[in-house]
Amino acid sequence: MKTLTVALDDRSYPIYISEHLLNNSELLTRHIQSKQVVIVSNDVVAPLYLQKVKQHLIGYDITQVILPDGEQYKTLESLNTIFDTLLANKFSRNATLIALGGGVIGDMGGFAAACYQRGIAFIQIPTTLLAQVDSSVGGKTGVNHPLGKNMIGAFYQPQAVIIDVDVLTTLDERQFSAGLAEIIKYGLIRDVDFFCWLEDNMGKLLARDQEALIYAIEYSCKMKADVVAEDEHESGIRATLNLGHTFGHAIETGMGYGCYLHGEAVAIGTCLAADLSKRKGLLTEVDVTRIITLFKHAKLPVVSPTELSSAQFVDLMAVDKKNVDGNIRVILLESIGKAALPIAIDRLSLIQTLDNL
Ligand code: NAD
Ligand code: GLY
Protein backbone atom coordinates (compact mmCIF):
# COMPACT_ATOMS: atom_id res chain seq x y z
CA MET A 1 0.00 0.00 0.00
CA LYS A 2 1.24 3.50 -0.86
CA THR A 3 0.62 6.22 1.68
CA LEU A 4 0.89 9.90 0.78
CA THR A 5 0.32 12.82 3.11
CA VAL A 6 -1.51 16.06 2.54
CA ALA A 7 0.62 18.24 4.80
CA LEU A 8 -1.59 20.83 6.48
CA ASP A 9 -0.20 21.10 10.01
CA ASP A 10 -2.73 19.78 12.52
CA ARG A 11 -5.17 19.01 9.67
CA SER A 12 -2.72 16.79 7.78
CA TYR A 13 -4.14 13.51 6.54
CA PRO A 14 -3.12 10.36 4.70
CA ILE A 15 -4.11 9.14 1.25
CA TYR A 16 -3.94 5.35 1.06
CA ILE A 17 -3.66 3.81 -2.40
CA SER A 18 -3.76 0.11 -3.22
CA GLU A 19 -5.79 -2.86 -4.34
CA HIS A 20 -8.13 -4.65 -1.89
CA LEU A 21 -8.43 -1.78 0.59
CA LEU A 22 -12.17 -2.31 0.97
CA ASN A 23 -11.26 -5.70 2.47
CA ASN A 24 -9.03 -4.11 5.10
CA SER A 25 -11.05 -3.76 8.32
CA GLU A 26 -8.22 -2.18 10.27
CA LEU A 27 -7.68 0.53 7.66
CA LEU A 28 -11.38 1.22 7.19
CA THR A 29 -11.82 1.82 10.92
CA ARG A 30 -8.46 3.44 11.65
CA HIS A 31 -9.76 7.00 11.28
CA ILE A 32 -13.21 6.57 12.82
CA GLN A 33 -13.21 8.01 16.31
CA SER A 34 -16.89 7.78 17.12
CA LYS A 35 -19.58 5.17 17.55
CA GLN A 36 -21.97 7.00 15.23
CA VAL A 37 -21.10 6.65 11.55
CA VAL A 38 -23.11 7.83 8.57
CA ILE A 39 -22.26 6.51 5.11
CA VAL A 40 -23.35 8.76 2.24
CA SER A 41 -23.55 7.10 -1.15
CA ASN A 42 -25.82 6.91 -4.19
CA ASP A 43 -28.13 4.37 -5.78
CA VAL A 44 -25.47 3.17 -8.25
CA VAL A 45 -22.50 2.82 -5.90
CA ALA A 46 -24.37 1.56 -2.83
CA PRO A 47 -25.53 -1.74 -4.40
CA LEU A 48 -21.93 -2.35 -5.50
CA TYR A 49 -19.91 -1.39 -2.43
CA LEU A 50 -21.96 -0.32 0.59
CA GLN A 51 -22.24 -3.80 2.09
CA LYS A 52 -18.56 -4.41 1.46
CA VAL A 53 -17.70 -1.37 3.59
CA LYS A 54 -20.37 -1.91 6.22
CA GLN A 55 -19.33 -5.48 6.96
CA HIS A 56 -16.06 -4.17 8.39
CA LEU A 57 -17.69 -1.66 10.71
CA ILE A 58 -18.64 -4.08 13.45
CA GLY A 59 -19.79 -2.44 16.67
CA TYR A 60 -20.51 0.97 15.14
CA ASP A 61 -23.92 2.62 15.08
CA ILE A 62 -24.27 2.94 11.28
CA THR A 63 -26.78 5.01 9.36
CA GLN A 64 -26.81 5.36 5.60
CA VAL A 65 -28.03 8.02 3.19
CA ILE A 66 -28.49 6.80 -0.38
CA LEU A 67 -28.97 9.74 -2.74
CA PRO A 68 -30.12 9.60 -6.35
CA ASP A 69 -27.22 9.29 -8.77
CA GLY A 70 -26.02 12.15 -10.93
CA GLU A 71 -24.55 15.63 -11.16
CA GLN A 72 -28.08 17.06 -11.36
CA TYR A 73 -28.58 15.91 -7.75
CA LYS A 74 -25.53 17.78 -6.44
CA THR A 75 -27.91 20.25 -4.84
CA LEU A 76 -28.87 21.90 -1.58
CA GLU A 77 -31.91 19.63 -1.59
CA SER A 78 -29.73 16.50 -1.50
CA LEU A 79 -27.64 18.11 1.21
CA ASN A 80 -30.78 18.61 3.25
CA THR A 81 -31.60 14.91 2.91
CA ILE A 82 -28.29 14.19 4.64
CA PHE A 83 -29.06 16.70 7.41
CA ASP A 84 -32.57 15.24 7.85
CA THR A 85 -31.08 11.79 8.41
CA LEU A 86 -28.38 13.03 10.78
CA LEU A 87 -30.92 14.94 12.87
CA ALA A 88 -33.56 12.21 12.81
CA ASN A 89 -30.93 9.78 14.10
CA LYS A 90 -29.66 12.28 16.69
CA PHE A 91 -26.13 12.33 15.37
CA SER A 92 -23.71 14.14 17.66
CA ARG A 93 -20.87 16.43 16.83
CA ASN A 94 -18.28 13.67 17.25
CA ALA A 95 -19.91 11.51 14.55
CA THR A 96 -18.04 10.46 11.41
CA LEU A 97 -19.34 10.74 7.84
CA ILE A 98 -18.01 8.40 5.17
CA ALA A 99 -18.46 9.58 1.57
CA LEU A 100 -18.58 6.46 -0.62
CA GLY A 101 -18.84 7.36 -4.29
CA GLY A 102 -17.55 9.58 -7.07
CA GLY A 103 -16.88 13.29 -6.95
CA VAL A 104 -20.53 14.21 -6.62
CA ILE A 105 -20.94 12.18 -3.42
CA GLY A 106 -17.50 13.24 -2.15
CA ASP A 107 -18.18 16.95 -2.66
CA MET A 108 -21.66 16.75 -1.12
CA GLY A 109 -20.66 14.46 1.72
CA GLY A 110 -17.75 16.71 2.56
CA PHE A 111 -19.95 19.81 2.51
CA ALA A 112 -22.54 18.10 4.73
CA ALA A 113 -19.74 17.20 7.15
CA ALA A 114 -18.47 20.79 7.09
CA CYS A 115 -21.92 22.19 7.92
CA TYR A 116 -23.50 19.68 10.29
CA GLN A 117 -23.16 21.12 13.80
CA ARG A 118 -20.41 23.34 12.29
CA GLY A 119 -18.26 20.38 11.38
CA ILE A 120 -17.98 16.62 11.90
CA ALA A 121 -15.20 14.29 10.85
CA PHE A 122 -15.33 12.72 7.40
CA ILE A 123 -13.53 10.10 5.36
CA GLN A 124 -13.37 9.95 1.59
CA ILE A 125 -13.69 6.59 -0.16
CA PRO A 126 -13.61 7.69 -3.81
CA THR A 127 -14.95 5.16 -6.31
CA THR A 128 -14.38 6.85 -9.69
CA LEU A 129 -11.03 7.48 -11.32
CA LEU A 130 -11.78 11.21 -11.31
CA ALA A 131 -12.53 11.21 -7.59
CA GLN A 132 -9.45 9.11 -6.84
CA VAL A 133 -7.06 11.46 -8.65
CA ASP A 134 -8.67 14.77 -7.87
CA SER A 135 -11.89 15.51 -6.01
CA SER A 136 -11.30 13.39 -2.89
CA VAL A 137 -8.04 15.19 -2.14
CA GLY A 138 -7.75 18.81 -1.07
CA GLY A 139 -10.94 19.62 0.82
CA LYS A 140 -13.00 21.44 -1.79
CA THR A 141 -16.59 20.54 -0.97
CA GLY A 142 -19.90 21.90 -2.16
CA VAL A 143 -22.95 21.75 -4.39
CA ASN A 144 -24.07 23.31 -7.67
CA HIS A 145 -26.47 26.22 -8.11
CA PRO A 146 -28.68 26.45 -11.23
CA LEU A 147 -26.69 29.56 -12.19
CA GLY A 148 -23.23 28.20 -11.54
CA LYS A 149 -21.24 25.05 -10.92
CA ASN A 150 -19.86 24.42 -7.38
CA MET A 151 -20.91 27.91 -6.36
CA ILE A 152 -21.99 26.97 -2.83
CA GLY A 153 -19.39 25.24 -0.72
CA ALA A 154 -16.56 25.24 1.80
CA PHE A 155 -12.96 24.19 2.18
CA TYR A 156 -13.09 21.26 4.58
CA GLN A 157 -10.43 18.56 4.79
CA PRO A 158 -11.16 14.87 5.42
CA GLN A 159 -9.47 12.69 8.06
CA ALA A 160 -8.27 10.27 5.38
CA VAL A 161 -8.70 9.29 1.75
CA ILE A 162 -8.93 5.55 1.05
CA ILE A 163 -8.35 4.69 -2.62
CA ASP A 164 -9.06 1.08 -3.55
CA VAL A 165 -8.28 0.70 -7.24
CA ASP A 166 -10.33 -2.52 -7.42
CA VAL A 167 -13.55 -0.48 -7.51
CA LEU A 168 -12.56 0.88 -10.92
CA THR A 169 -13.39 -2.50 -12.49
CA THR A 170 -17.10 -1.61 -12.39
CA LEU A 171 -16.63 1.86 -13.89
CA ASP A 172 -17.76 2.20 -17.50
CA GLU A 173 -15.43 3.43 -20.25
CA ARG A 174 -16.94 6.88 -20.51
CA GLN A 175 -16.53 7.55 -16.77
CA PHE A 176 -13.04 6.09 -16.85
CA SER A 177 -12.02 8.47 -19.63
CA ALA A 178 -13.49 11.39 -17.69
CA GLY A 179 -10.98 10.61 -14.93
CA LEU A 180 -8.14 10.54 -17.45
CA ALA A 181 -8.89 14.19 -18.25
CA GLU A 182 -7.86 15.28 -14.75
CA ILE A 183 -4.76 13.05 -14.89
CA ILE A 184 -3.70 14.71 -18.16
CA LYS A 185 -4.27 18.07 -16.46
CA TYR A 186 -1.50 17.38 -13.93
CA GLY A 187 1.01 16.71 -16.68
CA LEU A 188 0.00 19.88 -18.47
CA ILE A 189 0.19 22.21 -15.48
CA ARG A 190 3.19 20.83 -13.62
CA ASP A 191 5.19 18.08 -15.22
CA VAL A 192 6.16 17.66 -18.85
CA ASP A 193 7.77 14.27 -18.11
CA PHE A 194 4.47 12.98 -16.75
CA PHE A 195 2.72 14.33 -19.86
CA CYS A 196 5.21 12.37 -22.02
CA TRP A 197 4.65 9.29 -19.84
CA LEU A 198 0.92 9.64 -20.49
CA GLU A 199 1.54 9.93 -24.24
CA ASP A 200 3.50 6.66 -24.07
CA ASN A 201 1.18 4.81 -21.68
CA MET A 202 -2.34 5.93 -22.58
CA GLY A 203 -3.00 2.55 -24.23
CA LYS A 204 -2.06 0.74 -21.00
CA LEU A 205 -4.25 3.05 -18.93
CA LEU A 206 -7.23 2.51 -21.22
CA ALA A 207 -6.65 -1.24 -20.90
CA ARG A 208 -6.65 -0.64 -17.11
CA ASP A 209 -3.22 -2.14 -16.66
CA GLN A 210 -3.02 -2.23 -12.85
CA GLU A 211 0.61 -1.16 -12.55
CA ALA A 212 0.20 1.81 -14.90
CA LEU A 213 -3.05 2.78 -13.24
CA ILE A 214 -1.66 2.76 -9.71
CA TYR A 215 1.33 4.78 -10.89
CA ALA A 216 -0.91 7.40 -12.55
CA ILE A 217 -3.21 7.64 -9.52
CA GLU A 218 -0.35 7.91 -7.07
CA TYR A 219 1.51 10.49 -9.14
CA SER A 220 -1.65 12.56 -9.59
CA CYS A 221 -2.47 12.45 -5.87
CA LYS A 222 1.10 13.44 -5.07
CA MET A 223 0.88 16.48 -7.32
CA LYS A 224 -2.48 17.47 -5.91
CA ALA A 225 -1.27 16.97 -2.32
CA ASP A 226 1.78 19.16 -3.00
CA VAL A 227 -0.30 21.96 -4.50
CA VAL A 228 -2.89 21.86 -1.71
CA ALA A 229 -0.19 21.85 0.98
CA GLU A 230 1.29 24.99 -0.61
CA ASP A 231 -1.97 26.85 -1.17
CA GLU A 232 -4.94 25.27 0.59
CA HIS A 233 -7.39 28.13 0.02
CA GLU A 234 -6.43 28.94 -3.57
CA SER A 235 -4.82 32.30 -3.20
CA GLY A 236 -2.19 31.38 -5.80
CA ILE A 237 -0.83 28.17 -7.28
CA ARG A 238 -3.93 26.04 -6.51
CA ALA A 239 -5.84 27.97 -9.17
CA THR A 240 -3.72 26.20 -11.80
CA LEU A 241 -5.59 22.98 -10.93
CA ASN A 242 -8.50 24.68 -12.64
CA LEU A 243 -6.90 24.57 -16.08
CA GLY A 244 -9.75 24.24 -18.57
CA HIS A 245 -12.34 24.47 -15.79
CA THR A 246 -13.66 27.99 -16.54
CA PHE A 247 -14.61 26.78 -20.02
CA GLY A 248 -15.61 23.38 -18.65
CA HIS A 249 -17.92 24.69 -15.95
CA ALA A 250 -19.63 26.90 -18.56
CA ILE A 251 -20.31 23.77 -20.65
CA GLU A 252 -21.67 21.86 -17.64
CA THR A 253 -23.94 24.71 -16.55
CA GLY A 254 -24.98 25.74 -20.07
CA MET A 255 -25.76 22.24 -21.32
CA GLY A 256 -27.49 21.20 -18.09
CA TYR A 257 -25.74 19.32 -15.28
CA GLY A 258 -25.08 15.70 -16.25
CA CYS A 259 -25.17 16.22 -20.03
CA TYR A 260 -21.40 16.43 -20.35
CA LEU A 261 -19.44 14.61 -17.64
CA HIS A 262 -17.21 16.90 -15.60
CA GLY A 263 -14.07 15.29 -17.05
CA GLU A 264 -15.41 15.62 -20.59
CA ALA A 265 -16.14 19.30 -20.07
CA VAL A 266 -12.64 19.76 -18.62
CA ALA A 267 -11.11 18.02 -21.66
CA ILE A 268 -12.86 20.40 -24.06
CA GLY A 269 -12.07 23.34 -21.78
CA THR A 270 -8.40 22.44 -21.71
CA CYS A 271 -8.25 22.28 -25.51
CA LEU A 272 -9.85 25.74 -25.57
CA ALA A 273 -7.32 27.00 -22.99
CA ALA A 274 -4.53 25.55 -25.13
CA ASP A 275 -5.86 27.34 -28.22
CA LEU A 276 -6.07 30.59 -26.26
CA SER A 277 -2.51 30.07 -24.98
CA LYS A 278 -1.35 29.76 -28.60
CA ARG A 279 -3.19 32.97 -29.54
CA LYS A 280 -1.43 34.74 -26.67
CA GLY A 281 1.95 33.58 -28.04
CA LEU A 282 2.65 31.02 -25.30
CA LEU A 283 2.11 27.60 -26.91
CA THR A 284 3.05 26.54 -30.43
CA GLU A 285 0.73 24.91 -32.93
CA VAL A 286 2.67 21.67 -32.36
CA ASP A 287 2.00 21.86 -28.58
CA VAL A 288 -1.73 22.37 -29.15
CA THR A 289 -1.86 19.42 -31.54
CA ARG A 290 -0.06 17.21 -28.99
CA ILE A 291 -2.56 18.19 -26.29
CA ILE A 292 -5.61 17.60 -28.47
CA THR A 293 -4.17 14.28 -29.67
CA LEU A 294 -3.67 13.02 -26.11
CA PHE A 295 -7.24 13.89 -25.10
CA LYS A 296 -8.54 12.18 -28.23
CA HIS A 297 -6.40 9.13 -27.46
CA ALA A 298 -8.01 9.08 -23.99
CA LYS A 299 -11.40 8.91 -25.77
CA LEU A 300 -12.42 12.38 -24.65
CA PRO A 301 -14.24 15.10 -26.59
CA VAL A 302 -12.17 18.06 -27.77
CA VAL A 303 -14.73 20.28 -29.49
CA SER A 304 -17.15 22.63 -27.74
CA PRO A 305 -20.89 21.88 -28.02
CA THR A 306 -22.53 23.51 -31.04
CA GLU A 307 -25.66 24.12 -28.96
CA LEU A 308 -23.93 26.97 -27.09
CA SER A 309 -23.24 30.14 -29.06
CA SER A 310 -19.92 31.83 -28.33
CA ALA A 311 -21.76 34.77 -26.75
CA GLN A 312 -23.77 32.46 -24.45
CA PHE A 313 -20.59 30.62 -23.59
CA VAL A 314 -18.77 33.79 -22.53
CA ASP A 315 -21.77 34.89 -20.43
CA LEU A 316 -21.64 31.54 -18.62
CA MET A 317 -17.91 31.98 -18.01
CA ALA A 318 -18.67 35.23 -16.22
CA VAL A 319 -19.91 33.11 -13.27
CA ASP A 320 -16.69 31.56 -12.00
CA LYS A 321 -14.87 31.62 -8.68
CA LYS A 322 -11.62 32.75 -10.28
CA ASN A 323 -13.16 35.93 -11.67
CA VAL A 324 -12.24 39.20 -10.01
CA ASP A 325 -14.35 42.36 -10.15
CA GLY A 326 -16.47 40.80 -12.88
CA ASN A 327 -13.48 40.10 -15.16
CA ILE A 328 -13.19 36.61 -16.63
CA ARG A 329 -9.87 35.05 -15.65
CA VAL A 330 -8.45 31.94 -17.27
CA ILE A 331 -5.48 29.65 -16.63
CA LEU A 332 -3.17 29.59 -19.65
CA LEU A 333 -0.26 27.28 -20.39
CA GLU A 334 3.19 28.79 -20.77
CA SER A 335 4.38 25.43 -22.09
CA ILE A 336 3.40 21.79 -21.76
CA GLY A 337 4.20 21.18 -18.09
CA LYS A 338 3.86 24.76 -16.89
CA ALA A 339 0.66 26.66 -16.16
CA ALA A 340 0.44 30.39 -15.55
CA LEU A 341 -1.61 31.93 -12.76
CA PRO A 342 -5.08 33.16 -13.82
CA ILE A 343 -5.14 36.23 -16.03
CA ALA A 344 -8.01 38.41 -17.21
CA ILE A 345 -8.99 37.67 -20.80
CA ASP A 346 -10.94 40.07 -23.00
CA ARG A 347 -14.22 38.98 -24.53
CA LEU A 348 -12.93 39.20 -28.12
CA SER A 349 -10.07 36.74 -27.49
CA LEU A 350 -12.48 34.30 -25.87
CA ILE A 351 -14.89 34.56 -28.79
CA GLN A 352 -12.05 33.97 -31.29
CA THR A 353 -11.04 30.79 -29.48
CA LEU A 354 -14.63 29.60 -29.10
CA ASP A 355 -15.34 30.23 -32.78
CA ASN A 356 -12.23 28.24 -33.71
CA LEU A 357 -12.95 24.97 -31.84
P1 NAD B 1 -19.89 11.12 -10.28
O1 NAD B 1 -19.68 11.23 -8.84
O2 NAD B 1 -21.19 11.54 -10.84
O3 NAD B 1 -19.60 9.61 -10.71
C1 NAD B 1 -19.73 9.25 -12.05
C2 NAD B 1 -20.70 8.07 -12.24
O4 NAD B 1 -20.04 6.86 -11.88
C3 NAD B 1 -21.94 8.14 -11.39
O5 NAD B 1 -23.02 7.63 -12.11
C4 NAD B 1 -21.58 7.24 -10.23
O6 NAD B 1 -22.70 6.74 -9.55
C5 NAD B 1 -20.82 6.15 -10.93
N1 NAD B 1 -19.89 5.40 -10.13
C6 NAD B 1 -19.11 5.85 -9.13
N2 NAD B 1 -18.26 4.90 -8.75
C7 NAD B 1 -18.51 3.81 -9.49
C8 NAD B 1 -17.95 2.52 -9.57
N3 NAD B 1 -16.91 2.17 -8.84
N4 NAD B 1 -18.48 1.66 -10.46
C9 NAD B 1 -19.51 2.01 -11.25
N5 NAD B 1 -20.07 3.22 -11.25
C10 NAD B 1 -19.56 4.12 -10.37
O7 NAD B 1 -18.77 11.92 -11.10
P2 NAD B 1 -17.19 12.07 -10.91
O8 NAD B 1 -16.65 12.17 -12.26
O9 NAD B 1 -16.65 11.07 -9.98
O10 NAD B 1 -17.06 13.47 -10.17
C11 NAD B 1 -17.47 14.67 -10.78
C12 NAD B 1 -17.76 15.68 -9.72
O11 NAD B 1 -16.58 15.94 -8.98
C13 NAD B 1 -18.25 16.99 -10.25
O12 NAD B 1 -19.35 17.43 -9.50
C14 NAD B 1 -17.07 17.92 -10.05
O13 NAD B 1 -17.46 19.25 -9.87
C15 NAD B 1 -16.44 17.34 -8.83
N6 NAD B 1 -15.03 17.65 -8.68
C16 NAD B 1 -14.62 18.15 -7.49
C17 NAD B 1 -13.29 18.41 -7.29
C18 NAD B 1 -12.81 18.88 -5.95
O14 NAD B 1 -11.66 19.27 -5.83
N7 NAD B 1 -13.63 18.81 -4.93
C19 NAD B 1 -12.35 18.17 -8.31
C20 NAD B 1 -12.80 17.66 -9.51
C21 NAD B 1 -14.15 17.40 -9.69
N1 GLY C 1 -10.03 20.54 -8.56
C1 GLY C 1 -9.45 21.80 -8.27
C2 GLY C 1 -8.94 21.94 -6.89
O1 GLY C 1 -9.06 21.07 -6.07
O2 GLY C 1 -8.43 22.96 -6.56
Side-chain angles (χ1 to χ4, degrees):
M1 179 172 75
K2 316 269 185 197
T3 305
L4 304 172
T5 301
V6 183
L8 292 167
D9 300 322
D10 58 340
R11 288 168 302 106
S12 297
Y13 56 93
I15 307 169
Y16 305 107
I17 307 167
S18 184
E19 305 157 292
H20 315 322
L21 293 187
L22 294 193
N23 297 331
N24 187 333
S25 305
E26 188 282 318
L27 183 72
L28 288 169
T29 53
R30 192 182 293 175
H31 296 274
I32 302 176
Q33 304 202 336
S34 55
K35 196 165 171 57
Q36 290 179 320
V37 176
V38 59
I39 305 178
V40 177
S41 192
N42 72 25
D43 54 19
V44 169
V45 177
L48 294 169
Y49 300 111
L50 181 63
Q51 201 47 42
K52 210 170 164 54
V53 171
K54 268 172 78 173
Q55 72 186 358
H56 296 287
L57 308 184
I58 312 290
Y60 292 91
D61 171 7
I62 300 171
T63 298
Q64 61 202 45
V65 183
I66 310 302
L67 297 167
D69 177 48
E71 185 74 41
Q72 62 275 37
Y73 295 104
K74 190 178 166 184
T75 57
L76 285 170
E77 199 184 348
S78 296
L79 201 67
N80 217 25
T81 305
I82 303 175
F83 297 144
D84 289 347
T85 305
L86 292 172
L87 287 165
N89 288 281
K90 301 188 172 47
F91 263 60
S92 314
R93 202 176 197 172
N94 71 332
T96 300
L97 185 152
I98 297 178
L100 174 69
V104 168
I105 287 296
D107 281 13
M108 272 197 297
F111 192 34
C115 298
Y116 185 70
Q117 296 196 20
R118 302 200 180 94
I120 61 172
F122 91 109
I123 294 170
Q124 291 270 19
I125 305 186
T127 61
T128 62
L129 182 59
L130 186 139
Q132 295 190 345
V133 299
D134 193 352
S135 62
S136 63
V137 175
K140 278 191 182 176
T141 72
V143 295
N144 299 326
H145 185 280
L147 296 180
K149 171 94 181 130
N150 293 338
M151 277 291 148
I152 318 293
F155 286 101
Y156 195 66
Q157 302 294 345
Q159 310 300 305
V161 181
I162 299 174
I163 299 177
D164 183 343
V165 295
D166 292 345
V167 300
L168 299 178
T169 52
T170 51
L171 201 63
D172 69 29
E173 280 187 16
R174 188 176 168 205
Q175 297 290 353
F176 188 83
S177 286
L180 292 173
E182 301 281 17
I183 294 178
I184 294 171
K185 171 187 81 179
Y186 292 113
L188 284 171
I189 62 172
R190 270 178 93 75
D191 192 330
V192 65
D193 291 340
F194 185 57
F195 184 88
C196 295
W197 183 88
L198 289 170
E199 287 182 315
D200 293 342
N201 288 279
M202 189 51 73
K204 279 190 184 172
L205 290 174
L206 286 167
R208 306 194 195 190
D209 174 279
Q210 198 82 318
E211 197 184 330
L213 200 50
I214 290 182
Y215 174 75
I217 293 170
E218 187 193 349
Y219 206 80
S220 300
C221 285
K222 169 90 179 73
M223 279 192 268
K224 178 127 191 202
D226 287 349
V227 171
V228 170
E230 194 178 328
D231 177 25
E232 182 183 9
H233 293 126
E234 199 169 307
S235 44
I237 187 89
R238 184 164 183 172
T240 61
L241 293 173
N242 288 319
L243 174 69
H245 284 55
T246 311
F247 293 105
H249 286 168
I251 293 171
E252 287 186 83
T253 308
M255 296 300 293
Y257 297 124
C259 179
Y260 278 76
L261 302 181
H262 176 72
E264 292 172 340
V266 165
I268 297 169
T270 303
C271 294
L272 290 164
D275 179 86
L276 193 54
S277 304
K278 183 192 71 182
R279 284 170 197 282
K280 296 293 176 190
L282 298 169
L283 291 186
T284 64
E285 185 71 46
V286 173
D287 293 330
V288 176
T289 303
R290 264 180 87 185
I291 293 168
I292 292 175
T293 303
L294 186 57
F295 281 116
K296 280 187 180 164
H297 194 177
K299 299 190 179 359
L300 285 159
V302 294
V303 177
S304 63
T306 48
E307 292 88 340
L308 289 179
S309 72
S310 299
Q312 280 173 312
F313 205 122
V314 176
D315 283 344
L316 288 160
M317 290 175 76
V319 181
D320 186 88
K321 293 189 290 305
K322 283 184 301 305
N323 295 346
V324 173
D325 293 336
N327 292 315
I328 295 174
R329 300 199 315 156
V330 173
I331 311 293
L332 298 181
L333 287 170
E334 290 177 7
S335 61
I336 292 180
K338 190 168 189 326
L341 291 177
I343 59 161
I345 303 286
D346 59 283
R347 196 175 169 92
L348 181 63
S349 300
L350 290 171
I351 299 262
Q352 281 171 344
T353 277
L354 288 162
D355 285 347
N356 184 44
L357 273 185

